[in-house]
Each structure stands twice: as structure tokens, then as C-alpha cells.
Amino acid sequence: MAKSKGLVKEELINNIISMILHGTLNEGDFLPSIRSMSTFYNISRGTVLVVYKHLESMGYIQGIERSGYIVVNKTYQGTSGHEHPINSPTVQIVSPDEDELTQQQLTKLYQRQPCKLPPQFIKRWASNYNHLSQQSSSINIYSLQRFLKLSRGITVEEKSLLLLPGYQESLGLIALFLQEHRKKKVIIIEDPCSPQVKELFTQFQFDIISVATDSDGLLVDALPDITDVALLCMPTLQYPTATRLSEDRKQQLYRWAADRRIIIIEDDSYAMLGFGKNISPPLYLCQEQTTVIYLTQLIEVLGSTYNLAIIALPPMLVEPFRRLNQALHSNYPPVSFSIVDYFLSSSYLMKYLTTLVEERETKTQFAKLICTERLLTSSVNFQQNGGFCCFSLSKVNTPNEFINTAFFPITRQTVVLNDERYFLFPYTHLSLSELERLSRQLLPSLTT
């Protein structure tokens, strides 16, 4: 006997809620299309639409124009013991939940392209792997030297370079060094920054001093009068504000650091996105003025499968860093070291980087159009070929349907006037078709 329409709707609603509560459907997941659900449950599309609208009113999902319905939040256990959707009017949304959601969505976005290396290259490398692995048990540092010279104009001696299996692992090595060789366990960090960075130094029991940024980068005048500590900054391309440290502030920073015996940790991870175009020289080139540890990662070039990081050290820090690294890591490189070594020294490198730059230039044009013509932005931090940008909007002009899918909220220390909100737009992680669709979808909001 066929079920009534009412029973089918109730069953479908309960099934979706159950999948959300038990984690089968996670925040940010798109539900099947109305057509697919209609076919699967043998019901009309109108009935599926009614179910989705009901779930949306309960706060479990959210409709995104021309994209479908997305799971927005799991449930909240109230003080009475009853479960309520977080988006229910009786429950207040607090900023930590928003930050967590933003980070989850960003992580999903970054990991959609786990490997960016050309398939034909990987096939050739795999066929030669046994021969290559027998030749050497260590990474060919020349490959890293070549890459840094091409992309950033840095000439680094072989003994000053370290390749590590991950960005967080590199920061962990730096934190251990600071613990052993600095009397004060204090780290100064730009605000805003990645939450994982603050969490790592918190786990190492560092006291963290946050210093704000503005359109010219780090507010050097706001740096504390403190000695013998470390500063972690992104002078070339700050994440997530997309600002660049001005030349005047660079000179101020050199003087401040030299006078106070500060170690600068220069995180240059996002400068690689421009591949030498419109990118200011790194602080590392001015070692005679102060001590700079240079850090970058290869994820933007190679994808998240090969999330390797490079550290370039000043001469006086080479030996203590190498001793620590040998104590923590195996001498034999993992497979990912081998394939990166082979790729960076191969004839594919220049062709691949050229293709990458061309694709990013096209994405940059779409991003500029979206930020300057499609959105009613109050301000925009946009570096040519930076790969991401930062803008502010009033709450009235905020396109809420694209929050945490294309635009990600940023919490800043600086005073926000009126009802301005800051957003990160990581456009390089979206496909060209997604950027084109986003541009079209934003257009009606300005013409109505």
C-alpha cells in the first residue's frame, strides 16, 4: 500500500534531520537536488520543495539561489535538555560558532584540489620512482634554491635551507627553537591571523601579543617596547587582510627589531601566488639589519597533497635548527619530498608556473569585477595576483546567501565604524566557472 503524501513528507524530513544530527550530513554540505530527491522518493518536485522549505524554516538548511540547499548548522543542546536548531529564534548565535564554521568551510574549499601537479608528470615520476629513490636518501636542495630564486629572487646557501612536511610542523620547529634560545616565551603576531597559528603558540605556552594591521600592513608604531622576543608577520601579503607592508614601515620595522634584538619570522606563504609579479622584496634579503627566519609553503603551487614548507635561516641559526630538526624528523625523506624534488628540478616547472600565473590572472579579473562593480564595498584590499582579497561591507549590503561559501567573515581588532563587516574572498580556490556564476548571481542585487 502506497504511503500518503503527508507520511512521505514526514519521513523525508525526519531522515534529513537524523542525517544532520548524526553527522552524515555536515555543515556546508549541499543536499541532493529537488529533481534527484523527487526521483528517489517517487514524489513530486513540489513535495520535495515543501520539505526543504520546512527544514529551512527550522534552521537546519539554507537555500542558495541557483545553487541549491546547504546544511547550515547542527543542533544545540539547550539547558532544558531539548534539542533546538542553532538558527532557531530562541537560541543566540555567538561568534566562536561563526569562526568555527568559517574555518571548516575554508578548509573544505582549500582541499578541493588535493594535487595540482600535471597528471602526465606524475605518471612519468611514478615510472622512474624506484630508480630515483635509489640515487639519494635526501632532498636535492638545489631544487629548492632554484624555486626560491625564480619565485622570490632569494639566493640561499644550501646549509641554510630546510624542507619540512607541513606548515604547522615548521611553526612547531620554530616554537621549539624559541623555547630553547629565548628567555621570554613571548610571540608578537599580526591581527587578524590564522587561528591555527595562535593555537600552536598557545599550546607551546607562549604569551601572545596581537598587533593590528591597516591598509599599509602591520601597525609598526603599535609594536610594544619589549626586547629579546619574536615577531611573526606577513609583510609581502598579509593573510587574511590582503595588505602589504609599506616601504616606510619596513624601515621602521628594521630599526625597531634591531634595537630590541627581535627575531622576525617572515611568513611569505602567500607571496608565491604572484610568481614574481608586483611582489616587494622579502625582509629576508636585509639580514644585515636584523635576524629574519624566512618561512613559506608549497601548498599554493602543488596542492594540499604535498603540503610541504621551506625554512631559510640566517647563518647564526643554522646549527641549532638542524640539531632540533634531526631530533624530530627522520633523515629519509617521504615520497612527497621525492616528487617535489623531481618536479622543481624538471623541465615542467617553468611551463607549469606560466600556466598557473595565466589562470590566476584570469581569476583576478573576475575578482576585481565582483569587488568593484558587483558588491557595494566600503573598502577593498586587493593586491595584483594575490590570490585572495579583503573587503568591508555594511550589514545592509551584505549578500548573506554567499557567506561562508565565497566570502568569509573576518574579526579584526581595529575599530569598526557603524555596522561595517570585513570579509575574506579566497577567489583563487574557486574555479573560473564558479567565479563567473558568482558574478552573474550578484548582479541582480544591484539592479533591483
Side-chain angles (χ1 to χ4, degrees), residues 56 145 175 249 314:
E56 186 175 30
Q145 290 174 310
R249 290 191 184 176

Side-chain angles (χ1 to χ4, degrees), residues 74-335:
K74 296 181 180 178
T75 60
Y76 162 81
Q77 188 76 25
T79 55
S80 63
H82 299 292
E83 290 184 340
H84 304 281
I86 287 182
N87 281 351
S88 167
T90 60
V91 181
Q92 182 180 5
I93 301 177
V94 293
S95 56
D97 293 334
E98 292 179 356
D99 291 342
E100 182 179 358
L101 175 61
T102 297
Q103 191 57 45
Q104 289 173 349
Q105 295 293 79
L106 271 172
T107 300
K108 287 183 180 180
L109 187 62
Y110 293 162
Q111 293 177 346
R112 288 193 309 174
Q113 294 179 313
C115 179
K116 293 184 178 180
L117 293 178
Q120 67 272 22
F121 167 80
I122 296 177
K123 183 177 180 180
R124 179 176 295 186
W125 169 81
S127 65
N128 294 324
Y129 175 65
N130 289 334
H131 172 68
L132 292 169
S133 63
Q134 292 170 3
Q135 290 182 348
S136 175
S137 61
S138 62
I139 189 74
N140 181 2
I141 295 297
Y142 169 75
S143 302
L144 303 182
Q145 290 174 310
R146 178 189 182 217
F147 180 71
L148 289 175
K149 182 66 176 178
L150 283 172
S151 60
R152 296 297 284 131
I154 302 176
T155 301
V156 186
E157 293 184 10
E158 178 178 344
K159 64 180 182 179
S160 299
L161 276 177
L162 293 176
L163 180 66
L164 291 105
Y167 175 74
Q168 292 292 102
E169 289 80 358
S170 300
L171 284 179
L173 181 63
I174 292 171
L176 282 173
F177 166 79
L178 294 175
Q179 275 188 333
E180 287 193 5
H181 295 85
R182 288 291 186 177
K183 295 179 181 179
K184 301 173 184 176
K185 291 180 63 175
V186 177
I187 183 82
I188 304 168
I189 299 178
E190 292 174 321
D191 179 80
C193 74
S194 169
Q196 286 94 336
V197 172
K198 287 188 176 181
E199 178 61 26
L200 183 142
F201 283 99
T202 299
Q203 291 299 322
F204 278 95
Q205 299 181 334
F206 276 77
D207 292 327
I208 297 174
I209 300 174
S210 295
V211 177
T213 59
D214 64 10
S215 58
D216 287 326
L218 179 68
L219 290 171
V220 179
D221 287 339
L223 289 169
D225 187 10
I226 188 172
T227 60
D228 299 300
V229 299
L231 163 68
L232 175 63
C233 62
M234 292 182 163
T236 299
L237 187 59
Q238 206 277 340
Y239 179 87
T241 63
T243 57
R244 181 173 296 167
L245 192 64
S246 68
E247 288 302 317
D248 287 343
R249 290 191 184 176
K250 273 189 180 181
Q251 298 307 316
Q252 281 184 273
L253 181 60
Y254 289 139
R255 292 192 295 270
W256 173 85
D259 292 343
R260 293 164 178 79
R261 301 180 298 279
I262 303 294
I263 291 180
I264 297 177
I265 305 162
E266 180 181 12
D267 189 343
D268 209 32
S269 299
Y270 294 92
M272 297 299 179
L273 287 166
F275 185 53
K277 288 195 173 185
N278 302 316
I279 294 180
S280 58
L283 301 180
Y284 184 80
L285 293 177
C286 298
Q287 290 286 356
E288 69 278 1
Q289 296 189 47
T290 188
T291 304
V292 180
I293 298 172
Y294 181 87
L295 168 64
T296 190
Q297 55 181 326
L298 297 172
I299 185 171
E300 298 300 328
V301 175
L302 307 175
S304 58
T305 300
Y306 308 109
N307 182 19
L308 304 180
I310 300 172
I311 294 179
L313 298 163
M316 72 287 294
L317 301 186
V318 170
E319 286 307 314
F321 260 89
R322 287 198 171 277
R323 286 197 299 270
L324 271 177
N325 190 44
Q326 289 172 0
L328 294 173
H329 298 98
S330 171
N331 288 328
Y332 192 83
V335 172

Side-chain angles (χ1 to χ4, degrees), residues 377-393:
T377 54
S378 303
S379 64
V380 181
N381 293 333
F382 200 103
Q383 303 295 337
Q384 186 66 28
N385 298 313
F388 64 95
C389 62
C390 174
F391 59 81
S392 62
L393 285 171

